[in-house]
Every structure is written in C-alpha cells, then in structure tokens.
Amino acid sequence: MNTMIKLSSIAMTLAALLACSDVTSDQQDNTQIANNDVTITSSASNAQVEGDVEQQIRASLIEAIGPVPIQKVAESEMPGVYEVIAQGQVIYVSADRKFIFPGPLMHVKEDGLVNLSQASLHKLDQEKAPERAKQLGQIAEADKIIFKSPNEKYVINVFTDVDCAYCRKLHQNMAGYLERGITIQYLAFPRAGVGSGAYNKLVSVWCSENKQTAMDDAKLKNKFDPRECENPVASQYSLTRVLGLSGTPALLTPEGDLISGFLEPEKLLDYLEQTQG
C-alpha cells in the first residue's frame, strides 16, 4: 500500500514537471538570460548507457509515472545516477531504479556551480541544430515578415504569436535590434492552434498589403484589419512541432541554434557575438 502511495506521488510530481515543458512566454523566465549567469558547459560528456540498462530504466519510468516520450537516457556525472531527458525536461534515476528526482542537478566546482541539467539540454539542442537549419533554409523569404537592419550583421528567425506579452516586448524593441545590425525575420506560431483567434490575427497580418505595418499595428496597437488570402501561417505552425518549439517567442539563428525566450537587444547582440563572432 505504501509503495502504491509513493509511486502515485512520484507520478503526480513528475507529470506536473513534464507538463511545464509547454509553457507560454508569459510564464517562462527568459531562460537564455539566466543561462548567461550559470556555467552550462560540462567538463565530461554523458556516456550513453547499454541497451538493456536503458530499457530497464524506460520500463521503470513507465511503471512509475506512465508513458512519457523519452528522448535520451545517459549516465550522469553523479555516480550511480542516470539522466533521462523527456519532453525537454531532465529527471534522474538511481542505478537500482528505486529513486527518481527532477533536475536541475548542480555540480560544485572550484570555479563555481555547473548546471549539469542545462548542459545536457544544451548539448541535445545542438544536436538538433543541423536539421533545424535545413528546415529554415527551405522557407521562402516571401513567406516571412522581415524587418531588415540597414547595417545587417546577424539574422534571427523569430516564431511569434501576436497575443504573447514577450512577443510584444520583443517588437517594442525592434529599433534596438535593427540599430545593432540584427535583422528580424518573423514566422508564425499561433500558440492556440489553427483556427484560433491568434491564428486569424496572424493570417490578417500575413495577408496585409504592407506586412510590416500590419505587424506594428498588431503588436503595438492591438489593431487588426481582418483579411484572408493564401498564406503560410498553418504550415509554419506545423513546422514548430518539427523544430521542437514549445514557447514564444522562439528565436533561431540560420544555423539552427535555438534561443528560448525574449532577449533585450544588447543581450542578444552579446550572445550572437559570443557564438557567431
């Protein structure tokens, strides 16, 4: 009986944790900004586990918390503990599979704390970058709404929703991005889905004669002129699933690197200079 209670408690806790992977921009904590203050590079790479051990861990998790889409199982840097990535979240399982706990797992080192959970998510995200770059490269410029910098140094693709607060905040800072040489290329991500109010608003923007002005009106004035035409909004929404995007705004470099959440112009420039030179 006690075992059943414990498993039920674990299931509810981890289910709640995994459900948080699909947060809106209003709920998320500007993840990339936080990452700049914590080391996310680990000194040792996680070793892939043997097939039978991985299957045992997967089976144990299914028994304890039900079916969840597991992306990766690997040895963690904590002795006797395995790391499991599921739905963009990191959880840990003891070697005897009797203990399950969520991240982040912090490693105390002489030069400070290392966020092992974030390091693993970062590594997994880097592995997805080439496919993201390929998908982005197939989108015609005509299907984007582009705010081009007059002294372009960098290009950022932004999957956006007109109703999210941080999407509006990003657009309010447009002049700052353009002044710093960052071109913003908008793509549609109506979080509520095809046919929703957000979807119809984005369709109206994409179908406007002057898309940039329509985006200004939508983001800054909450003003929409209902329009319909052949448009890429539904296909771009579908693409967000392929790219593994869950929150808005989602910023991607042409190389497929994902920057989750809003960054102010100066912080985005710093990030791009550090990662792209």
Side-chain angles (χ1 to χ4, degrees):
M1 182 66 172
N2 289 338
T3 301
M4 290 299 295
I5 294 174
K6 289 178 181 177
L7 288 180
S8 177
S9 177
I10 290 172
M12 288 188 292
T13 300
L14 293 179
L17 169 71
L18 295 175
C20 291
S21 65
D22 194 31
V23 296
T24 66
S25 62
D26 294 342
Q27 297 169 314
Q28 62 188 336
D29 290 327
N30 293 332
T31 307
Q32 189 60 51
I33 296 176
N35 291 348
N36 290 338
D37 299 326
V38 179
T39 303
I40 62 171
T41 303
S42 176
S43 59
S45 59
N46 292 12
Q48 195 70 32
V49 300
E50 295 181 1
D52 57 341
V53 175
E54 177 174 348
Q55 291 306 314
Q56 290 171 3
I57 291 173
R58 287 175 178 268
S60 295
L61 285 173
I62 290 173
E63 182 180 354
I65 63 176
V68 293
I70 295 173
Q71 297 165 269
K72 188 175 183 179
V73 178
E75 293 181 7
S76 77
E77 292 189 41
M78 184 177 181
V81 173
Y82 291 95
E83 177 184 86
V84 179
I85 300 178
Q87 290 185 260
Q89 302 292 315
V90 184
I91 57 178
Y92 296 90
V93 182
S94 63
D96 60 8
R97 302 181 301 285
K98 293 182 179 179
F99 297 91
I100 305 173
F101 56 95
L105 180 62
M106 310 298 289
H107 190 176
V108 181
K109 294 191 173 183
E110 291 183 0
D111 55 350
L113 291 175
V114 176
N115 188 330
L116 298 180
S117 304
Q118 193 61 48
S120 295
L121 290 175
H122 183 67
K123 181 179 178 182
L124 182 63
D125 190 68
Q126 286 182 316
E127 293 172 358
K128 297 178 181 178
E131 179 59 26
R132 285 182 179 141
K134 179 182 176 181
Q135 295 289 340
L136 289 170
Q138 295 174 354
I139 303 174
E141 281 200 2
D143 288 338
K144 303 176 182 179
I145 297 179
I146 301 175
F147 288 79
K148 187 173 178 61
S149 170
N151 56 328
E152 183 181 291
K153 299 176 185 176
Y154 304 103
V155 174
I156 291 292
N157 298 282
V158 180
F159 281 85
T160 190
D161 188 347
V162 294
D163 288 335
C164 91
Y166 280 110
C167 295
R168 293 181 185 275
K169 191 171 183 178
L170 187 150
H171 198 77
Q172 290 168 355
N173 283 270
M174 184 62 70
Y177 299 118
L178 302 184
E179 289 171 3
R180 289 166 175 79
I182 303 172
T183 289
I184 300 294
Q185 299 187 152
Y186 277 130
L187 296 144
F189 188 176
R191 288 295 311 281
V194 175
S196 65
Y199 170 84
N200 293 330
K201 291 174 182 178
L202 285 170
V203 168
S204 296
V205 172
W206 252 263
C207 290
S208 297
E209 185 175 345
N210 189 320
K211 296 178 177 62
Q212 288 80 8
T213 299
M215 186 66 80
D216 287 340
D217 288 341
K219 293 286 185 69
L220 306 179
K221 302 176 183 178
N222 197 28
K223 176 183 174 183
F224 303 93
D225 182 12
R227 294 176 180 271
E228 292 184 4
C229 68
E230 184 176 345
N231 66 84
V233 175
S235 62
Q236 290 178 8
Y237 173 74
S238 297
L239 182 60
T240 64
R241 298 303 185 235
V242 177
L243 299 177
L245 308 182
S246 60
T248 52
L251 287 63
L252 293 107
T253 68
E255 295 75 28
D257 294 328
L258 173 63
I259 308 168
S260 296
F262 164 79
L263 282 181
E264 295 176 350
E266 193 59 41
K267 288 186 178 290
L268 180 56
L269 179 62
D270 288 345
Y271 174 86
L272 293 172
E273 287 178 340
Q274 291 174 19
T275 58
Q276 298 191 22

